[in-house]
Amino acid sequence: MKQTWRWFGPDDPVTLAHVRQAGATGIVTALHHLNDGRAWPDEEVARRKGEIEAAGLTWSVVESIIVHEDIKTRTGRYRQLIDNYKASIRAVAKAGVETVCYNFMAITDWTRTDLDYVMPHGGTALRFDVVEFCAYDVFILKRPGAEADHPADRIERAQAWLKTASESDLARLERNLIEWVPAREFVYDRQSLNRMLDVYGELATEGFRANLFEFLGEIIPVAEEAGVRMAIHPDDPPFPLFGLPRVVCSALDARALLAAVDRPANGLTLCTGSYGANPANDLVAMAKEFAPRIHFAHLRNVTKEGDGSFHEAEHLEGDTDMVRVVHALLGEEKRRSSEGRADWEIPMRPDHGHAILDDIGKKTNPGYSGIGRLKGLAELRGVMRPIETLGY
C-alpha cells in the first residue's frame, strides 16, 4: 500500500521533514486556510503541491474538501456550495491528486471526550466516554429531548459523575466536544451549537441520507470525468451525537451508499477505528466485501468498553484483527495489479497515534503526534512486508 501521512499544513508541529524521516512517501492534506466552502483556486492548490514536492514527497490524498452544513441540510447557499465543491475537485485533479477523502457528519467532525486519556504505558490516547457525553448533552448543554436519547442508567451515572467533576473537568469536556475541532477554521459555543441543531430540526436519518445521495449524484460524475476517486469517511463515533442523524456507521450504510451511485469513483475510506467502534461491524469481512471500492484506508485500532465507550488502542492491538485487514487490502491490490490498473495501489495512513516519549506535553494536534504515528506506521509496515514478500 502507498504509505502516507496526514499533514495539517505549514503550521503543523510535525513537519514534512519529520514525515520523510518516519518513512512515509505520500502526504494527506487540504487547504485548511480556505476550507470554508469556497472553491479552491488552482494557484493555491499548486502552491501546496509545490511545498510538498520540495520536501521530496507526493500529495497523494486530499483530506478533506469540507462539505458545508448548507449542503448537508440542502438549505441556504447549498446550490452555489455544490458548484464550489465541483470546482475544487477539478482543481485538485488538475494538480494530479486523484483521491479525495471527505465526510458527511452533521455539525461535528470526529469527536472525543478525552484527548489525553492516560494509558497503562504512561502515554496518552483519545477516548470517548458515553457517560461524560451524556452529562454534557443532558445537564450542561440541556439539549431539548436529550434525555430520550440516553438510557436511564447512563443518565444516573452522568449525574453521579457531575457531582464529582471539577470545574477543569467540565471545561475540558466542553472544549473537547464543541470548541475544538481538527482542521476547521471555526469553533462552537453552546449558543451557536444550539442554533445549528435548530437548523437540522426535523431532518431525520432517512432525510439526511437522501441529502447525501443527492450530493453524490452531483459530484460523482464530476469526479469520474476528472479522474478522481471519492472516498467517504465513516461517522466517528459511529452512533448519533446531540440527536443528529448518522448515515455512515455500518456495513449496511456502506452498501446503501455504494448502490445509490453505483460508479467506481464513489468509494469508501476504510477507517478501521471509526467502523471498529461499532460492535455490529466485522472489519475483516468489510475489507473483503468492499475491497473494489476502498479508495483509501485509515488504519488504527480501538478497544470497546462495556458501556459503549471506547479508546484508541495500539495499532496492532484493540478489537480489530489488523493483520487480516491488511492481508485483505493487499489481496485487493494484487487483484487490481493483475488487471493492469494504474490505480492498483491503495493509499493508507497510520491514524491517531498515542502521545508517547517526548511527544508527551509537546504541542501537537490531538491524535496526530509524530512518534506515536511513527510507531504505528512501523508496526503496519512490519505486517505488510512479509505478506508482500512471502505471499502469506
Side-chain angles (χ1 to χ4, degrees):
M1 286 184 278
K2 176 74 170 180
Q3 297 171 29
T4 69
W5 191 276
R6 193 169 194 191
W7 179 63
F8 290 96
D11 295 330
D12 194 329
V14 182
T15 68
L16 292 174
H18 295 156
V19 176
R20 285 200 70 181
Q21 292 165 27
T25 57
I27 290 295
V28 177
T29 195
L31 301 184
H32 299 111
H33 61 298
L34 301 178
N35 221 5
D36 55 7
R38 75 184 78 179
W40 289 0
D42 291 349
E43 59 271 19
E44 288 287 341
V45 174
R47 183 176 296 114
R48 180 54 49 85
K49 180 184 179 184
E51 291 172 334
I52 293 166
E53 292 183 345
L57 299 160
T58 301
W59 190 356
S60 301
V61 180
V62 169
E63 185 180 347
S64 304
I65 304 172
I66 193 171
V67 182
H68 195 279
E69 300 302 324
D70 283 3
I71 294 175
K72 297 172 190 173
T73 57
R74 293 186 78 81
T75 59
R77 300 185 298 124
Y78 81 91
R79 176 54 51 203
Q80 179 60 54
L81 290 161
I82 290 175
D83 288 342
N84 292 351
Y85 205 98
K86 294 175 181 177
S88 296
I89 290 173
R90 294 186 179 106
V92 300
K94 189 180 297 183
V97 187
E98 298 177 343
T99 304
V100 173
C101 171
Y102 67 104
N103 75 68
F104 209 80
M105 289 182 254
I107 301 179
T108 65
D109 203 288
W110 63 265
T111 303
R112 300 291 185 272
T113 57
D114 194 342
L115 306 180
D116 297 292
Y117 177 64
V118 179
M119 297 293 290
H121 56 48
T124 63
L126 305 174
R127 182 170 183 266
F128 188 91
D129 186 304
V130 295
V131 172
E132 292 187 12
F133 178 79
C134 175
Y136 184 82
D137 193 26
V138 175
F139 299 109
I140 300 175
L141 184 64
K142 298 179 180 177
R143 177 176 62 87
E147 294 90 343
D149 291 341
H150 300 274
D153 67 316
R154 183 181 298 166
I155 293 175
E156 290 179 9
R157 292 172 63 201
Q159 288 177 309
W161 180 81
L162 280 170
K163 290 177 182 178
T164 63
S166 66
E167 288 299 318
S168 63
D169 290 332
L170 300 179
R172 179 263 305 168
L173 182 61
E174 183 159 68
R175 181 177 62 251
N176 293 348
L177 286 176
I178 69 171
E179 294 179 9
W180 176 85
V181 179
R184 184 172 284 181
E185 295 300 306
F186 60 90
V187 297
Y188 293 109
D189 56 22
R190 292 181 209 174
Q191 291 72 32
S192 59
L193 177 63
N194 275 312
R195 284 196 298 270
M196 280 304 304
L197 291 173
D198 288 341
V199 170
Y200 276 82
E202 299 302 315
L203 184 60
T205 298
E206 288 313 310
F208 192 59
R209 194 189 310 274
N211 290 355
L212 169 57
F213 292 172
E214 290 277 355
F215 175 63
L216 293 176
E218 295 208 45
I219 66 163
I220 294 302
V222 173
E224 195 169 64
E225 181 181 347
V228 168
R229 295 174 291 277
M230 302 297 297
I232 193 166
H233 189 284
D235 300 330
D236 187 7
F239 45 77
L241 300 179
F242 300 119
L244 294 165
R246 297 288 227 188
V247 294
V248 194
C249 296
S250 67
L252 287 173
D253 292 336
R255 289 185 200 112
L257 181 142
L258 297 177
V261 182
D262 193 8
R263 299 191 182 196
N266 180 29
L268 306 176
T269 295
L270 184 70
C271 180
T272 54
S274 299
Y275 281 125
N278 182 345
N281 290 330
D282 179 334
L283 269 295
V284 176
M286 290 177 71
K288 293 176 180 177
E289 176 181 352
F290 301 121
R293 303 282 279 276
I294 293 172
H295 299 326
F296 186 31
H298 289 180
L299 299 182
R300 62 181 174 88
N301 224 321
V302 297
T303 296
K304 295 184 285 292
E305 302 168 25
D307 63 356
S309 303
F310 63 90
H311 63 268
E312 310 274 359
E314 302 278 4
H315 283 73
L316 301 186
E317 304 300 329
D319 295 334
T320 293
D321 187 340
M322 191 65 72
V323 173
R324 292 177 66 205
V325 169
V326 169
H327 186 271
L329 294 175
L330 291 175
E332 171 62 15
E333 283 191 333
K334 186 175 181 180
R335 185 192 68 80
R336 295 181 189 184
S337 180
S338 70
E339 294 177 353
R341 287 173 50 173
D343 65 342
W344 64 271
E345 196 170 30
I346 299 171
M348 58 73 71
R349 66 173 178 84
D351 199 11
H352 292 189
H354 291 175
I356 56 175
L357 304 180
D358 67 353
D359 273 342
I360 299 172
K362 190 186 294 184
K363 177 178 171 53
T364 61
N365 290 302
Y368 290 95
S369 61
I371 298 171
R373 283 186 292 163
L374 183 154
K375 179 184 178 186
L377 180 59
E379 291 173 342
L380 293 166
R381 187 184 289 121
V383 172
M384 291 187 288
R385 183 62 61 86
I387 295 173
E388 292 170 329
T389 304
L390 303 176
Y392 289 147

